[in-house]
PDB file of all heavy atoms in Angstrom:
ATOM      1  N   ASN A   1     295.913  26.677-108.221  1.00  0.00           N
ATOM      2  CA  ASN A   1     295.244  25.883-109.260  1.00  0.00           C
ATOM      3  C   ASN A   1     295.948  26.008-110.610  1.00  0.00           C
ATOM      4  O   ASN A   1     295.309  26.138-111.668  1.00  0.00           O
ATOM      5  CB  ASN A   1     293.771  26.298-109.393  1.00  0.00           C
ATOM      6  CG  ASN A   1     292.986  26.047-108.123  1.00  0.00           C
ATOM      7  OD1 ASN A   1     293.243  25.058-107.419  1.00  0.00           O
ATOM      8  ND2 ASN A   1     292.039  26.921-107.819  1.00  0.00           N
ATOM      9  N   GLY A   2     297.278  26.004-110.556  1.00  0.00           N
ATOM     10  CA  GLY A   2     298.065  26.039-111.782  1.00  0.00           C
ATOM     11  C   GLY A   2     298.197  27.402-112.420  1.00  0.00           C
ATOM     12  O   GLY A   2     298.770  27.527-113.508  1.00  0.00           O
ATOM     13  N   LYS A   3     297.684  28.439-111.766  1.00  0.00           N
ATOM     14  CA  LYS A   3     297.765  29.790-112.323  1.00  0.00           C
ATOM     15  C   LYS A   3     298.499  30.722-111.373  1.00  0.00           C
ATOM     16  O   LYS A   3     298.380  30.593-110.153  1.00  0.00           O
ATOM     17  CB  LYS A   3     296.360  30.340-112.598  1.00  0.00           C
ATOM     18  CG  LYS A   3     295.595  29.582-113.670  1.00  0.00           C
ATOM     19  CD  LYS A   3     294.238  30.216-113.922  1.00  0.00           C
ATOM     20  CE  LYS A   3     293.474  29.476-115.016  1.00  0.00           C
ATOM     21  NZ  LYS A   3     292.136  30.088-115.250  1.00  0.00           N
ATOM     22  N   ASN A   4     299.242  31.674-111.943  1.00  0.00           N
ATOM     23  CA  ASN A   4     299.941  32.676-111.137  1.00  0.00           C
ATOM     24  C   ASN A   4     298.956  33.801-110.824  1.00  0.00           C
ATOM     25  O   ASN A   4     298.497  34.503-111.730  1.00  0.00           O
ATOM     26  CB  ASN A   4     301.153  33.213-111.902  1.00  0.00           C
ATOM     27  CG  ASN A   4     302.029  34.086-111.011  1.00  0.00           C
ATOM     28  OD1 ASN A   4     301.909  34.045-109.794  1.00  0.00           O
ATOM     29  ND2 ASN A   4     302.911  34.856-111.615  1.00  0.00           N
ATOM     30  N   ARG A   5     298.644  33.989-109.548  1.00  0.00           N
ATOM     31  CA  ARG A   5     297.620  34.953-109.150  1.00  0.00           C
ATOM     32  C   ARG A   5     298.222  36.006-108.224  1.00  0.00           C
ATOM     33  O   ARG A   5     298.934  35.676-107.270  1.00  0.00           O
ATOM     34  CB  ARG A   5     296.471  34.232-108.443  1.00  0.00           C
ATOM     35  CG  ARG A   5     295.340  35.151-108.025  1.00  0.00           C
ATOM     36  CD  ARG A   5     294.279  34.363-107.297  1.00  0.00           C
ATOM     37  NE  ARG A   5     293.270  35.238-106.719  1.00  0.00           N
ATOM     38  CZ  ARG A   5     292.360  34.851-105.840  1.00  0.00           C
ATOM     39  NH1 ARG A   5     292.326  33.582-105.437  1.00  0.00           N
ATOM     40  NH2 ARG A   5     291.477  35.696-105.349  1.00  0.00           N
ATOM     41  N   THR A   6     297.959  37.272-108.529  1.00  0.00           N
ATOM     42  CA  THR A   6     298.411  38.366-107.669  1.00  0.00           C
ATOM     43  C   THR A   6     297.428  38.541-106.524  1.00  0.00           C
ATOM     44  O   THR A   6     296.260  38.876-106.742  1.00  0.00           O
ATOM     45  CB  THR A   6     298.509  39.683-108.464  1.00  0.00           C
ATOM     46  OG1 THR A   6     299.438  39.518-109.537  1.00  0.00           O
ATOM     47  CG2 THR A   6     298.986  40.822-107.569  1.00  0.00           C
ATOM     48  N   LEU A   7     297.907  38.333-105.302  1.00  0.00           N
ATOM     49  CA  LEU A   7     297.036  38.465-104.128  1.00  0.00           C
ATOM     50  C   LEU A   7     296.993  39.891-103.621  1.00  0.00           C
ATOM     51  O   LEU A   7     295.951  40.380-103.199  1.00  0.00           O
ATOM     52  CB  LEU A   7     297.522  37.525-103.017  1.00  0.00           C
ATOM     53  CG  LEU A   7     297.582  36.038-103.383  1.00  0.00           C
ATOM     54  CD1 LEU A   7     298.009  35.224-102.168  1.00  0.00           C
ATOM     55  CD2 LEU A   7     296.234  35.562-103.921  1.00  0.00           C
ATOM     56  N   TYR A   8     298.148  40.563-103.649  1.00  0.00           N
ATOM     57  CA  TYR A   8     298.168  41.978-103.261  1.00  0.00           C
ATOM     58  C   TYR A   8     299.444  42.603-103.797  1.00  0.00           C
ATOM     59  O   TYR A   8     300.537  42.036-103.668  1.00  0.00           O
ATOM     60  CB  TYR A   8     298.108  42.145-101.742  1.00  0.00           C
ATOM     61  CG  TYR A   8     298.041  43.606-101.312  1.00  0.00           C
ATOM     62  CD1 TYR A   8     296.920  44.379-101.605  1.00  0.00           C
ATOM     63  CD2 TYR A   8     299.101  44.213-100.647  1.00  0.00           C
ATOM     64  CE1 TYR A   8     296.848  45.712-101.234  1.00  0.00           C
ATOM     65  CE2 TYR A   8     299.035  45.548-100.264  1.00  0.00           C
ATOM     66  CZ  TYR A   8     297.910  46.294-100.565  1.00  0.00           C
ATOM     67  OH  TYR A   8     297.842  47.611-100.206  1.00  0.00           O
ATOM     68  N   LEU A   9     299.315  43.792-104.404  1.00  0.00           N
ATOM     69  CA  LEU A   9     300.467  44.514-104.939  1.00  0.00           C
ATOM     70  C   LEU A   9     300.295  45.995-104.608  1.00  0.00           C
ATOM     71  O   LEU A   9     299.477  46.690-105.212  1.00  0.00           O
ATOM     72  CB  LEU A   9     300.566  44.313-106.456  1.00  0.00           C
ATOM     73  CG  LEU A   9     301.852  44.788-107.112  1.00  0.00           C
ATOM     74  CD1 LEU A   9     303.044  43.983-106.616  1.00  0.00           C
ATOM     75  CD2 LEU A   9     301.757  44.665-108.631  1.00  0.00           C
ATOM     76  N   PRO A  10     301.049  46.512-103.626  1.00  0.00           N
ATOM     77  CA  PRO A  10     300.815  47.877-103.140  1.00  0.00           C
ATOM     78  C   PRO A  10     301.425  48.979-103.994  1.00  0.00           C
ATOM     79  O   PRO A  10     301.058  50.144-103.840  1.00  0.00           O
ATOM     80  CB  PRO A  10     301.475  47.859-101.750  1.00  0.00           C
ATOM     81  CG  PRO A  10     302.583  46.872-101.881  1.00  0.00           C
ATOM     82  CD  PRO A  10     302.075  45.811-102.827  1.00  0.00           C
ATOM     83  N   HIS A  11     302.350  48.637-104.910  1.00  0.00           N
ATOM     84  CA  HIS A  11     303.133  49.684-105.567  1.00  0.00           C
ATOM     85  C   HIS A  11     302.503  50.222-106.855  1.00  0.00           C
ATOM     86  O   HIS A  11     302.908  51.276-107.333  1.00  0.00           O
ATOM     87  CB  HIS A  11     304.542  49.152-105.877  1.00  0.00           C
ATOM     88  CG  HIS A  11     305.222  48.558-104.680  1.00  0.00           C
ATOM     89  ND1 HIS A  11     305.512  49.294-103.557  1.00  0.00           N
ATOM     90  CD2 HIS A  11     305.644  47.296-104.425  1.00  0.00           C
ATOM     91  CE1 HIS A  11     306.097  48.517-102.663  1.00  0.00           C
ATOM     92  NE2 HIS A  11     306.177  47.299-103.148  1.00  0.00           N
ATOM     93  N   VAL A  12     301.555  49.506-107.413  1.00  0.00           N
ATOM     94  CA  VAL A  12     300.867  49.970-108.620  1.00  0.00           C
ATOM     95  C   VAL A  12     299.424  50.293-108.243  1.00  0.00           C
ATOM     96  O   VAL A  12     298.677  49.406-107.823  1.00  0.00           O
ATOM     97  CB  VAL A  12     300.916  48.901-109.734  1.00  0.00           C
ATOM     98  CG1 VAL A  12     300.227  49.422-110.987  1.00  0.00           C
ATOM     99  CG2 VAL A  12     302.360  48.502-110.027  1.00  0.00           C
ATOM    100  N   ALA A  13     299.054  51.557-108.362  1.00  0.00           N
ATOM    101  CA  ALA A  13     297.768  52.026-107.841  1.00  0.00           C
ATOM    102  C   ALA A  13     296.590  51.227-108.385  1.00  0.00           C
ATOM    103  O   ALA A  13     295.682  50.847-107.635  1.00  0.00           O
ATOM    104  CB  ALA A  13     297.590  53.511-108.160  1.00  0.00           C
ATOM    105  N   SER A  14     296.577  50.959-109.680  1.00  0.00           N
ATOM    106  CA  SER A  14     295.433  50.261-110.275  1.00  0.00           C
ATOM    107  C   SER A  14     295.320  48.827-109.752  1.00  0.00           C
ATOM    108  O   SER A  14     294.223  48.352-109.451  1.00  0.00           O
ATOM    109  CB  SER A  14     295.565  50.261-111.804  1.00  0.00           C
ATOM    110  OG  SER A  14     296.781  49.636-112.201  1.00  0.00           O
ATOM    111  N   ILE A  15     296.478  48.144-109.622  1.00  0.00           N
ATOM    112  CA  ILE A  15     296.456  46.766-109.126  1.00  0.00           C
ATOM    113  C   ILE A  15     296.173  46.741-107.628  1.00  0.00           C
ATOM    114  O   ILE A  15     295.476  45.846-107.131  1.00  0.00           O
ATOM    115  CB  ILE A  15     297.797  46.058-109.438  1.00  0.00           C
ATOM    116  CG1 ILE A  15     298.046  46.064-110.949  1.00  0.00           C
ATOM    117  CG2 ILE A  15     297.798  44.634-108.889  1.00  0.00           C
ATOM    118  CD1 ILE A  15     299.351  45.414-111.348  1.00  0.00           C
ATOM    119  N   GLU A  16     296.681  47.737-106.904  1.00  0.00           N
ATOM    120  CA  GLU A  16     296.410  47.815-105.467  1.00  0.00           C
ATOM    121  C   GLU A  16     294.913  47.933-105.232  1.00  0.00           C
ATOM    122  O   GLU A  16     294.361  47.284-104.334  1.00  0.00           O
ATOM    123  CB  GLU A  16     297.145  49.007-104.862  1.00  0.00           C
ATOM    124  CG  GLU A  16     297.223  49.016-103.341  1.00  0.00           C
ATOM    125  CD  GLU A  16     295.951  49.502-102.663  1.00  0.00           C
ATOM    126  OE1 GLU A  16     295.225  50.308-103.292  1.00  0.00           O
ATOM    127  OE2 GLU A  16     295.676  49.099-101.518  1.00  0.00           O
ATOM    128  N   ALA A  17     294.231  48.759-106.023  1.00  0.00           N
ATOM    129  CA  ALA A  17     292.783  48.937-105.866  1.00  0.00           C
ATOM    130  C   ALA A  17     292.038  47.635-106.156  1.00  0.00           C
ATOM    131  O   ALA A  17     291.060  47.295-105.480  1.00  0.00           O
ATOM    132  CB  ALA A  17     292.297  50.052-106.792  1.00  0.00           C
ATOM    133  N   GLN A  18     292.514  46.890-107.159  1.00  0.00           N
ATOM    134  CA  GLN A  18     291.846  45.636-107.534  1.00  0.00           C
ATOM    135  C   GLN A  18     292.068  44.538-106.498  1.00  0.00           C
ATOM    136  O   GLN A  18     291.225  43.644-106.350  1.00  0.00           O
ATOM    137  CB  GLN A  18     292.362  45.156-108.890  1.00  0.00           C
ATOM    138  CG  GLN A  18     292.005  46.075-110.046  1.00  0.00           C
ATOM    139  CD  GLN A  18     292.653  45.620-111.348  1.00  0.00           C
ATOM    140  OE1 GLN A  18     293.010  44.455-111.505  1.00  0.00           O
ATOM    141  NE2 GLN A  18     292.811  46.544-112.281  1.00  0.00           N
ATOM    142  N   THR A  19     293.190  44.555-105.809  1.00  0.00           N
ATOM    143  CA  THR A  19     293.529  43.474-104.875  1.00  0.00           C
ATOM    144  C   THR A  19     293.316  43.859-103.414  1.00  0.00           C
ATOM    145  O   THR A  19     293.561  43.043-102.528  1.00  0.00           O
ATOM    146  CB  THR A  19     294.997  43.044-105.069  1.00  0.00           C
ATOM    147  OG1 THR A  19     295.860  44.192-104.884  1.00  0.00           O
ATOM    148  CG2 THR A  19     295.221  42.486-106.464  1.00  0.00           C
ATOM    149  N   ARG A  20     292.859  45.068-103.152  1.00  0.00           N
ATOM    150  CA  ARG A  20     292.708  45.551-101.769  1.00  0.00           C
ATOM    151  C   ARG A  20     291.735  44.692-100.967  1.00  0.00           C
ATOM    152  O   ARG A  20     291.951  44.438 -99.775  1.00  0.00           O
ATOM    153  CB  ARG A  20     292.250  47.005-101.779  1.00  0.00           C
ATOM    154  CG  ARG A  20     292.323  47.699-100.416  1.00  0.00           C
ATOM    155  CD  ARG A  20     291.824  49.127-100.552  1.00  0.00           C
ATOM    156  NE  ARG A  20     292.583  49.855-101.557  1.00  0.00           N
ATOM    157  CZ  ARG A  20     292.109  50.888-102.252  1.00  0.00           C
ATOM    158  NH1 ARG A  20     290.851  51.282-102.078  1.00  0.00           N
ATOM    159  NH2 ARG A  20     292.866  51.501-103.137  1.00  0.00           N
ATOM    160  N   ASP A  21     290.681  44.224-101.599  1.00  0.00           N
ATOM    161  CA  ASP A  21     289.692  43.411-100.882  1.00  0.00           C
ATOM    162  C   ASP A  21     290.284  42.097-100.377  1.00  0.00           C
ATOM    163  O   ASP A  21     289.776  41.506 -99.415  1.00  0.00           O
ATOM    164  CB  ASP A  21     288.492  43.118-101.790  1.00  0.00           C
ATOM    165  CG  ASP A  21     287.625  44.356-102.024  1.00  0.00           C
ATOM    166  OD1 ASP A  21     287.769  45.320-101.244  1.00  0.00           O
ATOM    167  OD2 ASP A  21     286.846  44.362-102.996  1.00  0.00           O
ATOM    168  N   ASN A  22     291.355  41.627-101.015  1.00  0.00           N
ATOM    169  CA  ASN A  22     291.975  40.368-100.581  1.00  0.00           C
ATOM    170  C   ASN A  22     292.574  40.476 -99.185  1.00  0.00           C
ATOM    171  O   ASN A  22     292.747  39.456 -98.500  1.00  0.00           O
ATOM    172  CB  ASN A  22     293.069  39.944-101.563  1.00  0.00           C
ATOM    173  CG  ASN A  22     292.502  39.457-102.886  1.00  0.00           C
ATOM    174  OD1 ASN A  22     291.334  39.102-102.971  1.00  0.00           O
ATOM    175  ND2 ASN A  22     293.329  39.457-103.922  1.00  0.00           N
ATOM    176  N   LEU A  23     292.904  41.692 -98.756  1.00  0.00           N
ATOM    177  CA  LEU A  23     293.506  41.873 -97.441  1.00  0.00           C
ATOM    178  C   LEU A  23     292.579  41.404 -96.327  1.00  0.00           C
ATOM    179  O   LEU A  23     293.045  40.977 -95.259  1.00  0.00           O
ATOM    180  CB  LEU A  23     293.879  43.348 -97.227  1.00  0.00           C
ATOM    181  CG  LEU A  23     294.952  43.928 -98.162  1.00  0.00           C
ATOM    182  CD1 LEU A  23     295.095  45.430 -97.915  1.00  0.00           C
ATOM    183  CD2 LEU A  23     296.289  43.227 -97.956  1.00  0.00           C
ATOM    184  N   LYS A  24     291.280  41.463 -96.566  1.00  0.00           N
ATOM    185  CA  LYS A  24     290.306  41.075 -95.550  1.00  0.00           C
ATOM    186  C   LYS A  24     289.991  39.580 -95.578  1.00  0.00           C
ATOM    187  O   LYS A  24     289.323  39.065 -94.682  1.00  0.00           O
ATOM    188  CB  LYS A  24     289.005  41.870 -95.741  1.00  0.00           C
ATOM    189  CG  LYS A  24     289.192  43.379 -95.715  1.00  0.00           C
ATOM    190  CD  LYS A  24     287.898  44.100 -96.054  1.00  0.00           C
ATOM    191  CE  LYS A  24     288.088  45.605 -96.136  1.00  0.00           C
ATOM    192  NZ  LYS A  24     286.838  46.308 -96.536  1.00  0.00           N
ATOM    193  N   LYS A  25     290.463  38.900 -96.604  1.00  0.00           N
ATOM    194  CA  LYS A  25     290.164  37.468 -96.747  1.00  0.00           C
ATOM    195  C   LYS A  25     291.236  36.630 -96.064  1.00  0.00           C
ATOM    196  O   LYS A  25     292.379  37.046 -95.911  1.00  0.00           O
ATOM    197  CB  LYS A  25     290.094  37.096 -98.231  1.00  0.00           C
ATOM    198  CG  LYS A  25     288.993  37.806 -98.991  1.00  0.00           C
ATOM    199  CD  LYS A  25     289.007  37.400-100.458  1.00  0.00           C
ATOM    200  CE  LYS A  25     287.911  38.129-101.237  1.00  0.00           C
ATOM    201  NZ  LYS A  25     287.937  37.771-102.684  1.00  0.00           N
ATOM    202  N   THR A  26     290.841  35.419 -95.646  1.00  0.00           N
ATOM    203  CA  THR A  26     291.817  34.502 -95.051  1.00  0.00           C
ATOM    204  C   THR A  26     292.624  33.843 -96.169  1.00  0.00           C
ATOM    205  O   THR A  26     292.188  33.812 -97.329  1.00  0.00           O
ATOM    206  CB  THR A  26     291.120  33.424 -94.217  1.00  0.00           C
ATOM    207  OG1 THR A  26     290.337  32.590 -95.089  1.00  0.00           O
ATOM    208  CG2 THR A  26     290.217  34.058 -93.161  1.00  0.00           C
ATOM    209  N   VAL A  27     293.770  33.297 -95.801  1.00  0.00           N
ATOM    210  CA  VAL A  27     294.590  32.639 -96.820  1.00  0.00           C
ATOM    211  C   VAL A  27     293.870  31.420 -97.383  1.00  0.00           C
ATOM    212  O   VAL A  27     294.058  31.062 -98.560  1.00  0.00           O
ATOM    213  CB  VAL A  27     295.974  32.256 -96.244  1.00  0.00           C
ATOM    214  CG1 VAL A  27     296.760  33.485 -95.852  1.00  0.00           C
ATOM    215  CG2 VAL A  27     295.848  31.296 -95.069  1.00  0.00           C
ATOM    216  N   ALA A  28     293.046  30.775 -96.545  1.00  0.00           N
ATOM    217  CA  ALA A  28     292.275  29.626 -97.035  1.00  0.00           C
ATOM    218  C   ALA A  28     291.259  30.071 -98.071  1.00  0.00           C
ATOM    219  O   ALA A  28     291.064  29.406 -99.098  1.00  0.00           O
ATOM    220  CB  ALA A  28     291.587  28.917 -95.873  1.00  0.00           C
ATOM    221  N   GLU A  29     290.587  31.193 -97.826  1.00  0.00           N
ATOM    222  CA  GLU A  29     289.616  31.723 -98.784  1.00  0.00           C
ATOM    223  C   GLU A  29     290.285  32.106-100.099  1.00  0.00           C
ATOM    224  O   GLU A  29     289.658  32.061-101.160  1.00  0.00           O
ATOM    225  CB  GLU A  29     288.901  32.940 -98.184  1.00  0.00           C
ATOM    226  CG  GLU A  29     287.950  32.607 -97.046  1.00  0.00           C
ATOM    227  CD  GLU A  29     287.402  33.837 -96.357  1.00  0.00           C
ATOM    228  OE1 GLU A  29     288.025  34.929 -96.483  1.00  0.00           O
ATOM    229  OE2 GLU A  29     286.357  33.732 -95.699  1.00  0.00           O
ATOM    230  N   LEU A  30     291.562  32.462-100.045  1.00  0.00           N
ATOM    231  CA  LEU A  30     292.294  32.833-101.254  1.00  0.00           C
ATOM    232  C   LEU A  30     292.832  31.610-102.003  1.00  0.00           C
ATOM    233  O   LEU A  30     293.421  31.750-103.074  1.00  0.00           O
ATOM    234  CB  LEU A  30     293.452  33.769-100.895  1.00  0.00           C
ATOM    235  CG  LEU A  30     293.050  35.151-100.370  1.00  0.00           C
ATOM    236  CD1 LEU A  30     294.259  35.885 -99.818  1.00  0.00           C
ATOM    237  CD2 LEU A  30     292.396  35.971-101.480  1.00  0.00           C
ATOM    238  N   GLY A  31     292.630  30.421-101.427  1.00  0.00           N
ATOM    239  CA  GLY A  31     293.047  29.199-102.098  1.00  0.00           C
ATOM    240  C   GLY A  31     294.401  28.668-101.667  1.00  0.00           C
ATOM    241  O   GLY A  31     294.924  27.729-102.273  1.00  0.00           O
ATOM    242  N   LEU A  32     294.974  29.234-100.599  1.00  0.00           N
ATOM    243  CA  LEU A  32     296.279  28.779-100.117  1.00  0.00           C
ATOM    244  C   LEU A  32     296.100  27.686 -99.074  1.00  0.00           C
ATOM    245  O   LEU A  32     295.199  27.755 -98.240  1.00  0.00           O
ATOM    246  CB  LEU A  32     297.062  29.955 -99.512  1.00  0.00           C
ATOM    247  CG  LEU A  32     297.421  31.087-100.478  1.00  0.00           C
ATOM    248  CD1 LEU A  32     298.056  32.242 -99.717  1.00  0.00           C
ATOM    249  CD2 LEU A  32     298.352  30.591-101.569  1.00  0.00           C
ATOM    250  N   GLU A  33     296.972  26.692 -99.140  1.00  0.00           N
ATOM    251  CA  GLU A  33     296.892  25.559 -98.226  1.00  0.00           C
ATOM    252  C   GLU A  33     298.234  25.362 -97.523  1.00  0.00           C
ATOM    253  O   GLU A  33     299.219  26.042 -97.835  1.00  0.00           O
ATOM    254  CB  GLU A  33     296.534  24.288 -99.008  1.00  0.00           C
ATOM    255  CG  GLU A  33     295.237  24.390 -99.792  1.00  0.00           C
ATOM    256  CD  GLU A  33     295.035  23.195-100.690  1.00  0.00           C
ATOM    257  OE1 GLU A  33     296.042  22.483-100.948  1.00  0.00           O
ATOM    258  OE2 GLU A  33     293.903  22.976-101.142  1.00  0.00           O
ATOM    259  N   ASN A  34     298.247  24.430 -96.579  1.00  0.00           N
ATOM    260  CA  ASN A  34     299.502  24.077 -95.929  1.00  0.00           C
ATOM    261  C   ASN A  34     300.476  23.537 -96.984  1.00  0.00           C
ATOM    262  O   ASN A  34     300.173  22.600 -97.719  1.00  0.00           O
ATOM    263  CB  ASN A  34     299.258  23.012 -94.863  1.00  0.00           C
ATOM    264  CG  ASN A  34     300.503  22.704 -94.060  1.00  0.00           C
ATOM    265  OD1 ASN A  34     301.161  23.613 -93.569  1.00  0.00           O
ATOM    266  ND2 ASN A  34     300.842  21.420 -93.946  1.00  0.00           N
ATOM    267  N   GLY A  35     301.662  24.187 -97.104  1.00  0.00           N
ATOM    268  CA  GLY A  35     302.637  23.797 -98.119  1.00  0.00           C
ATOM    269  C   GLY A  35     302.559  24.611 -99.390  1.00  0.00           C
ATOM    270  O   GLY A  35     303.401  24.448-100.283  1.00  0.00           O
ATOM    271  N   SER A  36     301.567  25.511 -99.499  1.00  0.00           N
ATOM    272  CA  SER A  36     301.464  26.348-100.695  1.00  0.00           C
ATOM    273  C   SER A  36     302.676  27.262-100.815  1.00  0.00           C
ATOM    274  O   SER A  36     303.292  27.665 -99.829  1.00  0.00           O
ATOM    275  CB  SER A  36     300.191  27.200-100.640  1.00  0.00           C
ATOM    276  OG  SER A  36     299.041  26.423-100.787  1.00  0.00           O
ATOM    277  N   GLU A  37     303.001  27.595-102.043  1.00  0.00           N
ATOM    278  CA  GLU A  37     304.155  28.434-102.331  1.00  0.00           C
ATOM    279  C   GLU A  37     303.683  29.846-102.666  1.00  0.00           C
ATOM    280  O   GLU A  37     302.796  30.035-103.494  1.00  0.00           O
ATOM    281  CB  GLU A  37     304.923  27.847-103.516  1.00  0.00           C
ATOM    282  CG  GLU A  37     306.329  28.359-103.674  1.00  0.00           C
ATOM    283  CD  GLU A  37     307.073  27.631-104.774  1.00  0.00           C
ATOM    284  OE1 GLU A  37     306.825  27.938-105.953  1.00  0.00           O
ATOM    285  OE2 GLU A  37     307.895  26.742-104.466  1.00  0.00           O
ATOM    286  N   ILE A  38     304.272  30.844-101.985  1.00  0.00           N
ATOM    287  CA  ILE A  38     303.957  32.233-102.298  1.00  0.00           C
ATOM    288  C   ILE A  38     305.245  32.966-102.668  1.00  0.00           C
ATOM    289  O   ILE A  38     306.332  32.642-102.187  1.00  0.00           O
ATOM    290  CB  ILE A  38     303.265  32.958-101.118  1.00  0.00           C
ATOM    291  CG1 ILE A  38     304.184  33.035 -99.890  1.00  0.00           C
ATOM    292  CG2 ILE A  38     301.946  32.306-100.774  1.00  0.00           C
ATOM    293  CD1 ILE A  38     303.631  33.923 -98.783  1.00  0.00           C
ATOM    294  N   MET A  39     305.129  33.954-103.549  1.00  0.00           N
ATOM    295  CA  MET A  39     306.257  34.773-103.964  1.00  0.00           C
ATOM    296  C   MET A  39     306.071  36.182-103.403  1.00  0.00           C
ATOM    297  O   MET A  39     305.020  36.803-103.610  1.00  0.00           O
ATOM    298  CB  MET A  39     306.353  34.828-105.488  1.00  0.00           C
ATOM    299  CG  MET A  39     306.901  33.555-106.126  1.00  0.00           C
ATOM    300  SD  MET A  39     305.784  32.135-105.972  1.00  0.00           S
ATOM    301  CE  MET A  39     304.506  32.589-107.143  1.00  0.00           C
ATOM    302  N   VAL A  40     307.077  36.669-102.686  1.00  0.00           N
ATOM    303  CA  VAL A  40     306.990  37.958-102.011  1.00  0.00           C
ATOM    304  C   VAL A  40     308.033  38.908-102.586  1.00  0.00           C
ATOM    305  O   VAL A  40     309.233  38.603-102.599  1.00  0.00           O
ATOM    306  CB  VAL A  40     307.200  37.812-100.487  1.00  0.00           C
ATOM    307  CG1 VAL A  40     307.071  39.169 -99.809  1.00  0.00           C
ATOM    308  CG2 VAL A  40     306.201  36.822 -99.903  1.00  0.00           C
TER     309      VAL A  40
END
């Protein structure tokens, strides 16, 4: 939706704790669609 969103970041403890719940969500629930661009 036009914003850069961190879905999961394992290397920074504080961010890992904040994004850990996303691991249980589907990519659709996270707002990703067919053709969506992700940065790894």
